[in-house]
Amino acid sequence: MSAGQTLGMDILTVLQQVDHRLFHRLFQQGERGMIRPLAKALSRSGDGYLHMLIPALLWLLPAQHIGEFCALLLVALTIERSLYWILKNSLKRRRPQALMPNFRSLITASDQFSFPSGHSSGAFLLATALGVVYGGPLVAMFLWASLVALSRVVLGVHFPGDTVAGAVMGTSITLLTASLLGIS
């Protein structure tokens, strides 16, 4: 193995160790008070229903730019879901429950692999699309998306790195799609 390959493997090992330590700390924080029930509710809010509900509500209201928003959401989701599926099924990073002996997640994940987090990607995609088209309370939208991502770690179905990758993916795809569609 070359020196460059060894350095690359060392960096990945360190990143994985940091990811695992951060996972344990965040998961343990979930044991306090009402954090886990709140995490379950936040996680559910990232299940994808809002991707359909928000356009429907905007359609019912006299909202401007509904066509732009729906086009952005549809194209970005198509790209994001395709890339998500390809990455998840080719990288095959196992979930915390599969990697750590005697650990049980608090919910059952919808699929086998964890990287990237689809809930995080979808939440950041929706928050970014709303921000691009409508502006408004960006802090609130990104706070919700961040809490969805955090909930996935607190519930034990993702490592923090999975959710960060999902957040970057969802945001980036939406911004790129908006640029390609000429939506600003």
Side-chain angles (χ1 to χ4, degrees), residues 125-146:
L125 183 148
L126 181 59
T128 305
L130 285 165
V132 165
V133 176
Y134 294 108
L138 290 174
V139 171
M141 290 184 280
F142 282 99
L143 177 61
W144 165 77
S146 297

Side-chain angles (χ1 to χ4, degrees), residues 1-108:
M1 197 179 305
S2 73
Q5 289 173 321
T6 303
L7 178 62
M9 294 301 289
D10 290 343
I11 291 171
L12 288 176
T13 300
V14 168
L15 286 174
Q16 184 169 358
Q17 290 169 349
V18 169
D19 207 22
H20 282 234
R21 280 194 300 263
L22 186 55
F23 170 80
H24 285 292
R25 285 190 182 151
L26 290 170
F27 185 78
Q28 288 172 345
Q29 291 300 313
E31 294 173 354
R32 301 189 318 181
M34 292 295 296
I35 292 181
R36 290 208 170 131
L38 180 59
K40 285 181 181 182
L42 284 163
S43 179
R44 283 191 193 112
S45 76
D47 283 349
Y49 305 113
L50 291 177
H51 293 80
M52 295 180 288
L53 182 62
I54 289 175
L57 289 173
L58 291 171
W59 209 270
L60 293 173
L61 301 172
Q64 296 178 358
H65 309 291
I66 185 68
E68 286 180 343
F69 177 73
C70 288
L72 175 58
L73 193 61
L74 180 64
V75 174
L77 274 172
T78 301
I79 295 167
E80 181 269 340
R81 288 287 102 178
S82 299
L83 183 58
Y84 156 84
W85 189 88
I86 290 167
L87 288 173
K88 194 162 262 207
N89 290 293
S90 60
L91 297 175
K92 297 182 179 182
R93 183 181 193 188
R94 295 185 304 163
R95 292 190 182 273
Q97 182 169 306
L99 285 176
M100 295 183 285
N102 303 318
F103 175 80
R104 294 288 170 244
S105 62
L106 300 176
I107 60 172
T108 302

Side-chain angles (χ1 to χ4, degrees), residues 152-176:
R152 304 299 287 169
V153 178
V154 169
L155 295 172
V157 291
H158 282 289
F159 291 103
D162 304 334
T163 62
V164 170
V168 169
M169 189 172 90
T171 301
S172 300
I173 287 171
T174 306
L175 292 174
L176 177 62

